Amino acid sequence: MAVEPMKLMSGVFLKKDASAVLKEIIIQGSFHIADKNKPSDFTIKAFERLNNNLDKDNEESISLSPFEVDHSLDSRKYKQQFLEIFDYLNIDNNPQDQKTENRPSLEELSDINDLYTEVIKLRDFEYKIDHELINLQLYVDFLQFFTEKGAGDIKIKDIRNLKFMNYVFGTLSQDAYKKLKDNYENIKDIVVHAGRTSATHHTQSEELVMVFSPLSKTSDSKNILKSLNFTPLELPDFEENDEDTFSSLLARMEKLLSEKNKNKEDFIQKKNLFVQKNSSKIKSLYYNYKVADLSTQIEGYIAQTDHFFFIAGFIPISKIKDMERSIMEIAPETILTFEDADTVKDIAPAPTKLKNNTLFAPFETLVNMYSVPNYNEKDPTPFFAITYMLFFGMMFGDVGQGLILVLAGLLLAKKIPSLAGIASRIGVSSMIFGFLYGSVFGIENIIPSLLIRPMEEVNTILIAAICLGIVLILIAYGIGLGNLAKRKDKVNLYFDKNGITGLLFYLAFLIFIVNMIFGKRIIPQFSPILSIITAAVMIIACFILFMKPALAAKVLTAEEYKHMEKPNGVERGFELFETIMSFFTNTLSFIRVGAFAINHVGLFMAFHALGQMTGSTIGNAVMLILGNIIIIVLEGLIVAIQSIRLEYYELFSRYFKGEGVSYDPMNIKKF
């Protein structure tokens, strides 16, 4: 449950080993390129550091230049080809389980062109078969309609040879057909509705229609049908027979449909055999493409001399042994060095890789929404997760409603893992506080209260919320002081509102308030003295906060002090006033935890009262169900937002700086 330690890996490789080394770095998937916006600056600085470390007496200037990137790989073309292949053949495009012995050449990758051509032929042929099957099925549906309506003995030629009428078969969407029906009186056509069919070129079922129009009105009819997105039926290719009736043609078409379906089955077998035969090869080529593509990308971060090339980036300490072993096996003449990230922060910030257990990991999403944690500070996720679950549970304590959140989390686990994880965990917290409050779906006479009923002890729950806030603010101060000490930020550690001075002011402020309320009863002799002492501490703390720029000169070097921001007296005065007010408002802000706990009960009581007003058991039950739905959705969202607000504004401001760089290693991923 921490930020995983990083080291800067610097490597000097012979040019002949370039391809193999880059491939291995990509396959290992743990190498983070630093300063991607200005890679050349970082590379040069890192090389100068490495060169000095290897030979401090070497004064010879070594000229570095960018690596000559190979741009012959048409990445966009290959990417599109693979996307179409994976989509049509329904092959998983995860290359992680593929292996290759050598870095692929462009000649090897060109094999995908032949496979792509075969796949496109298969896809086009399948589209043609499906298109013919749909049209044939639609035609069969029409013939069945006329046959069932007693027109089976009518000859087809009689319909085709109409002298004064034109006709067309086709389909309309259900909405378009409704519009056509509503405007029957405005058109001169005869519309025969032949039923509904699911055999269409669209995703939804459509209406089969046959439209007869006078020859003089054919143009108007076409315009009307076009406006309704009418899809004409493409008649199947067959030899006409003057003696064909609807019944005899139906038999012929059904036979032809059966043959086409058999052709489709044969094609599917052929397609499956193709997938079975080429799936492994396609995945291997895809893996090779990804390696080649990423190798081209990573080459942009390399510097070179006449005989070797140089690369530098961050790697987690847990991955160092694997990386070092694999590179030295394929390129034994390589020089690798690993430096602690803290020693190289002057050339690039180390990336942050959070490492949390299963319970806390989902809350990393909410932490990162605020900011990526800085490498040189404590991971805020565990404290955030615990307090967030605590806040939500206290404000939304109910066994039944908490169970609904848990079930929702389980259902969403595969689709939205992080959100589902948060929902299930705050649901459990809600259930725990539900038992403490004795509430099940808002009903408080099913189980006994194990601790307190918020609506019956309003003052107690509000005071408890404020006390909880005080404790959490003090813990946040402790974490913040540790982070400032770790970053060696002496100015803010000693003289800032979130440092030691601010903590002393807050403690004195708390003691002063408690003494004013309870001091005369508990320690009547020492109460006045304690008030004077705490007031003096607050005044001294305010003076230190105001004089922060001047005091900073005592602990900073001249160069550091030169670059420090120095607000004028008026700005410092307003900042001091805001700081003093924030100590009071931040603490009082936690009263919302108790207030929402009371509001949660009160809101359900309102729905319960509305249910009783209906005067029936069914009405009461419906109102209770509706109330629970509204509470779970609406109030649940509000409580979740309020919990985030407490975290971001009241706690994070005390100990969390953020502004970190997310760990983003170069590795093989899905498109």
Side-chain angles (χ1 to χ4, degrees), residues 478-537:
I479 299 173
L481 293 178
N483 287 333
L484 291 172
K486 184 178 180 180
R487 292 198 299 268
K488 297 180 181 179
D489 187 353
K490 295 180 181 179
V491 174
N492 289 322
L493 176 62
Y494 299 140
F495 312 126
D496 191 69
K497 64 180 180 180
N498 295 320
I500 294 174
T501 301
L503 176 60
L504 289 175
F505 182 96
Y506 188 60
L507 289 172
F509 170 75
L510 293 176
I511 296 172
F512 182 84
I513 296 298
V514 172
N515 182 54
M516 291 291 292
I517 299 173
F518 303 107
K520 292 182 179 180
R521 286 185 295 169
I522 302 175
I523 48 172
Q525 297 89 348
F526 299 102
S527 180
I529 299 174
L530 188 59
S531 296
I532 294 172
I533 293 174
T534 52
V537 171

Side-chain angles (χ1 to χ4, degrees), residues 536-604:
V537 171
M538 286 189 285
I539 293 172
I540 294 172
C542 288
F543 177 77
I544 294 174
L545 292 174
F546 184 80
M547 297 299 295
K548 176 182 175 181
L551 295 171
K554 306 296 182 182
V555 297
L556 295 177
T557 64
E559 186 65 23
E560 291 173 334
Y561 184 73
K562 179 181 177 181
H563 293 89
M564 175 184 167
E565 185 179 353
K566 307 175 192 65
N568 58 42
V570 176
E571 292 174 331
R572 295 202 304 271
F574 278 108
E575 184 178 346
L576 179 61
F577 176 76
E578 186 274 333
T579 298
I580 295 172
M581 292 300 298
S582 68
F583 284 115
F584 175 75
T585 57
N586 290 162
T587 303
L588 196 61
S589 182
F590 284 90
I591 201 172
R592 74 185 66 225
V593 176
F596 271 97
I598 298 168
N599 176 72
H600 186 68
V601 179
L603 187 59
F604 184 82

Side-chain angles (χ1 to χ4, degrees), residues 90-107:
N90 196 25
I91 298 176
D92 180 20
N93 65 336
N94 188 351
Q96 298 287 358
D97 57 348
Q98 299 297 311
K99 299 297 177 185
T100 181
E101 295 299 326
N102 300 296
R103 182 182 176 185
S105 64
L106 297 182
E107 290 75 15

Side-chain angles (χ1 to χ4, degrees), residues 11 76 79 215 223 290 325 425 438 559 612 614 666:
R76 181 177 297 180
K79 179 178 180 179
L215 291 178
N223 291 334
K290 290 298 290 182
R325 182 181 63 254
R425 284 155 180 76
E559 186 65 23
Q612 289 182 328
T614 62
M666 297 288 287

